[in-house]
Amino acid sequence: MNQADDWVVRTAGQVRAEGERRHPGETPTCASGISPSGPVHLGNLRELMVPHLVADEVRREGVPCRHILSWDDYDRFRRVPGGFPPEFAEHIGRPLTSVPDPCGGHQNWAEHFKEPLLESLDYLGVAVTEISQTEMYTGGAYTAQIVTAMRRRADIDAVLGRYRTKRAADPDDDDEPQAAAEYYPFKPYCASCGRDDTTVTGFDDETTEITYTCACGVRAGPTPIAQVAGKLVWKVDWPMRWSYEHVTFEPAGVDHSTPGSSFTVGAELVSEIFGGETPLHFGYSFVGTSGSAKMSGSRGGAPTPADALEIFEAPLVRWLYARRRPEQAITLAFDAEVGRVYDEWDALARRVAEGDASPPDQAIFARASGPAEGPLPVTPRPLPFRTLASVADITAGDQTQILRIVRDLTADDPVRDLDEVRPRLDCAQAWVTEYVRPEERTQVRGEPDTALLAALTDEERAALKLLADGMAAGWSLDGLTTLLYGVPKLQRGLPISAPPTPELKAAQRDWFKLLYGLLIGKDTGPRLPTLLLALGQDRVRSLIGG
Ligand SMILES: [Zn+2]
Ligand SMILES: [Zn+2]
């Protein structure tokens, strides 16, 4: 991959050049839009990460760049999301900021869902300039644009008409023409009931007075449109904002870029009606997840950025988005893959530190590590995630035990305080608690398995004695690893450092199976050296009959 293939560098260059051409001397703008209509999922995070990476690259080059987050909080409340009381259905048709807060701690429904996303963005080092569409619309910011759109309604209708096909009626599409009535691109929120079950019945191009009726029975107007609550329909609203905010770059999900989509239509309207230009644009692919069902099961639905940040350090979450090109789909794993993701990340960090990383890998690592302002906090002593997960699992979270084991694991330069292995330890702990099924967790035997001990062969008994006798002298991760793999060698009269053979490997498998059986009553489990360190010498001795 050379620089021209690096989509972040390439797009950042285009943003600088286009920004300067369109609005000389102005800070270029990258845009994201989120509807706070329910929990904001990990898929929606791509809507923020793609512009962030580009805006951040511009800033890395020493040029200011604005990243706006348009909250579509003046959109109508369409449906009650799963897990919320059905009584909220009463508010369908009202702006999201007019729907009551479901928990009672926020100003309204929209704010309830904004807060967790903003918190996650803060952890991720994603700095945005928030724009509330409720504030913009109700504050009159768009009045001139609304009047223009209403006066040019026939032209807008003609553009939309070119794309209206016989496709099945889309319930989310709010620009469908009302049969046999004149087209209006503005939808009032009823002055009486607050809902948008309204039909515009007239607009005076001279006085800008509007009249409308509502399903609740109200007949309103004529009233100057500046005094009427309401908003432009989505396909007109989006290009209006490109023009208003001087948006230089705005990506969107691939589904927005198909022929007849809001982007294609908006691209025509922005120049024809609002005298602006289409932003630089490309579609980004989907974000999927695997193994994301939480054990606590308190809340269904797709995982959120906060769920991901519970088990991944913030730079890893940035990396999961930064390492893929926009057209590539992303799958975020919450299952056993998590350990592999951490291992890959640690390997990348080592290559970068040792100067062995390729230039593209270095660039991706820098973007993942933090924004242009500086790197995000990291775990000072990044022990392998799988090891920490095993420790959290075996100890059931007991902090004193964890510290003892982590010290033994780092015998050469012992960890003094668990803060040295945080936040990774907390991530591992959360992962074990939330995503490892109870039957997969490690249950250390309370009492020795007397039946199994009584049935041991002489060879097995001898192997256990070699372990019991050698344990104290080699009580460290390296020492125990050598001893555990070495026992079958010693039994065959080979030196402990003898190279593995197929026969030895088979013997080692049987030997490990025996130990797992005696210690945790299963055939497999966490890595045995970690498990032994976790149990301590006395407990191991008692369980292996030594
Ligand atoms: Zn709330
Ligand atoms: Zn009404």
Side-chain angles (χ1 to χ4, degrees), residues 190-195 197-198 212 214-218:
C190 173
S192 170
C193 72
R195 299 190 184 88
D197 301 327
T198 53
Y212 67 87
C214 177
C216 74
V218 155

Side-chain angles (χ1 to χ4, degrees), residues 467-479:
L467 174 62
D469 292 348
M471 211 161 47
W475 194 253
S476 70
L477 199 55
D478 286 346

Side-chain angles (χ1 to χ4, degrees), residues 235-295:
K235 282 181 179 170
V236 181
D237 176 270
W238 203 16
M240 180 276 288
R241 285 194 247 159
W242 294 339
S243 165
Y244 186 92
E245 298 291 349
H246 295 183
V247 175
T248 323
F249 168 60
E250 181 163 4
V254 281
D255 47 328
H256 282 287
S257 315
T258 51
S261 68
S262 17
F263 190 84
T264 333
V265 177
E268 286 204 36
L269 293 178
V270 70
S271 53
E272 214 178 305
I273 308 297
F274 300 110
E277 283 188 70
T278 313
L280 297 166
H281 173 85
F282 50 72
Y284 54 79
S285 195
F286 301 102
V287 178
T289 54
S290 64
S292 61
K294 278 191 168 189
M295 289 307 136

Side-chain angles (χ1 to χ4, degrees), residues 101 103 105-106 112:
D101 174 40
C103 81
H106 300 92
H112 179 85

Side-chain angles (χ1 to χ4, degrees), residues 339-362:
R340 197 184 52 76
V341 170
Y342 267 94
D343 289 349
E344 275 183 51
W345 167 254
D346 288 345
L348 172 63
R350 268 195 303 277
R351 286 204 306 281
V352 170
E354 288 160 10
D356 290 339
S358 65
D361 276 353
Q362 283 177 36

